[in-house]
Amino acid sequence: MQEEILRLIELQNLDLEIFKIEKAVQEIPQSLQKAQKEKDQLFNKIEQFKNLIEEKTKQKNLFEEELKQEYQRLKSTQARLVQIRGTREYQLLLREIEEIKKANKQKEEEILKLMEEIEKLEQEKRKLEEEFVKVEEIFNQEKQKFDDYCNQLNLEKAKLIEQRLGLSKKIPARLLRKYELLRERKGGIGIAPVDNYVCEGCHMAIPPQLYNEIQRDNRYYECPHCKRLIFFKKFYLLEESSEPALEEKDASSAS
């Protein structure tokens, strides 16, 4: 029974190490988060500038098309002057021509204004794109560091899983199933120590009689509160150094 508990404790430690690695892989470093945030912000700003430039370019093209049509109307109106005989009609046509010219001049000014706005927006966009290249380079560097870190962790995880597999074979199937079920349901902790009447899995006090039995029998019991497997902490903390001896014993038995 003592060997089984020691192996369960070792299995629990391996599982906690594996969980720690899995958690570390999921936690993106602050430096990478910062670079990602800056990259996203710049990308969004660049997209906004692109949309604004596109909108103003469409407006400019529309004005240019309207101006082209007005110039054609001006040309046609001016051509009609030579056909006019009446003074009043002639004056009305001259007024119309002046109005067309005035409107065209205003339209030209609007087009020039849009062209200037577009140029300024293009300049701002280019600055942002240059900054984006720098930020993206930093992001790629930070991501590469994190990827390398994750690869190293995954290698360590693979070794731990291999150790776990070997250790699991040394634990009775019934006990292993019970531990696995508890670990799955109890936040990764299937077996917990008891110290000073308190289960360290749920931090609840166990009955004095059960506490006395745990100290006397040196075997695992079940916490009446969280239902985890429990053992007497002080005994097994002192006995942890005997784990290698158990492994050696198993090796000699196998031979």
Side-chain angles (χ1 to χ4, degrees):
M1 186 61 70
Q2 179 183 346
E3 294 179 6
E4 292 176 3
I5 295 175
L6 284 169
R7 285 171 184 149
L8 277 179
I9 294 171
E10 185 181 354
L11 187 65
Q12 178 71 87
N13 290 335
L14 285 173
D15 285 334
L16 290 175
E17 284 297 317
I18 292 170
F19 175 76
K20 184 179 177 181
I21 287 174
E22 290 174 344
K23 187 178 179 182
V25 169
Q26 293 174 356
E27 291 179 350
I28 301 176
Q30 188 174 358
S31 57
L32 182 56
Q33 289 182 19
K34 181 182 177 183
Q36 177 72 64
K37 184 178 179 180
E38 291 178 359
K39 181 170 170 280
D40 291 343
Q41 288 176 341
L42 283 170
F43 178 82
N44 291 333
K45 284 182 180 179
I46 291 170
E47 287 300 307
Q48 289 174 3
F49 272 92
K50 283 182 179 179
N51 293 334
L52 196 55
I53 290 169
E54 183 180 356
E55 180 182 334
K56 288 188 177 295
T57 301
K58 285 181 180 179
Q59 190 175 3
K60 179 182 76 71
N61 292 340
L62 178 62
F63 283 177
E64 287 175 342
E65 183 61 31
E66 290 176 351
L67 184 62
K68 182 179 178 182
Q69 292 175 5
E70 287 301 308
Y71 271 125
Q72 187 65 38
R73 188 163 76 93
L74 176 63
K75 185 177 179 181
S76 300
T77 305
Q78 288 173 331
R80 286 165 53 197
L81 281 175
V82 297
Q83 302 172 1
I84 300 299
R85 295 289 181 265
T87 305
R88 187 171 181 280
E89 188 179 356
Y90 188 84
Q91 292 297 325
L92 288 173
L93 202 58
L94 282 176
R95 189 181 304 169
E96 183 182 350
I97 289 171
E98 288 302 315
E99 289 176 356
I100 294 173
K101 288 181 177 180
K102 183 179 179 181
N104 287 351
K105 184 178 180 181
Q106 185 177 353
K107 188 74 70 176
E108 287 172 348
E109 289 174 353
E110 289 175 352
I111 291 171
L112 287 173
K113 184 180 177 182
L114 283 170
M115 291 175 67
E116 290 174 359
E117 289 177 358
I118 291 169
E119 180 58 30
K120 288 180 181 179
L121 289 171
E122 288 284 2
Q123 290 175 1
E124 290 297 321
K125 183 172 75 72
R126 282 194 291 270
K127 289 179 182 178
L128 288 173
E129 287 172 339
E130 290 173 2
E131 189 177 351
F132 180 83
V133 171
K134 295 176 183 177
V135 171
E136 188 175 37
E137 185 178 353
I138 294 173
F139 170 79
N140 290 335
Q141 290 173 355
E142 293 297 330
K143 188 176 184 302
Q144 185 61 54
K145 289 179 186 178
F146 183 58
D147 289 343
D148 293 342
Y149 172 68
C150 288
N151 290 335
Q152 183 60 40
L153 287 180
N154 286 327
L155 288 174
E156 294 177 16
K157 178 183 173 182
K159 292 178 182 178
L160 291 173
I161 290 174
E162 187 177 355
Q163 292 177 34
R164 189 187 192 281
L165 182 62
L167 183 60
S168 297
K169 293 177 181 178
K170 299 177 183 179
I171 299 173
R174 177 189 57 79
L175 181 60
L176 182 62
R177 283 196 299 271
K178 185 176 181 65
Y179 164 79
E180 295 286 18
L181 185 62
L182 287 166
R183 185 173 69 88
E184 182 179 343
R185 293 179 176 178
K186 300 294 180 179
I189 305 294
I191 185 168
V194 171
D195 188 31
N196 197 24
Y197 295 91
V198 175
C199 167
E200 294 189 1
C202 62
H203 306 290
M204 297 287 287
I206 66 172
Q209 183 180 351
L210 178 57
Y211 187 64
N212 291 334
E213 289 178 4
I214 289 177
Q215 295 179 76
R216 183 174 63 251
D217 293 348
N218 293 329
R219 66 186 182 90
Y220 65 83
Y221 286 81
E222 189 177 278
C223 174
H225 305 293
C226 66
K227 306 303 179 183
R228 290 183 176 92
L229 301 173
I230 53 176
F231 60 91
F232 185 47
K233 180 177 181 178
K234 291 179 180 177
F235 179 82
Y236 284 98
L237 282 176
L238 293 173
E239 293 292 329
E240 279 182 351
S241 59
S242 65
E243 285 185 77
L246 285 174
E247 294 176 359
E248 290 173 5
K249 179 180 176 182
D250 292 334
S252 60
S253 298
S255 61

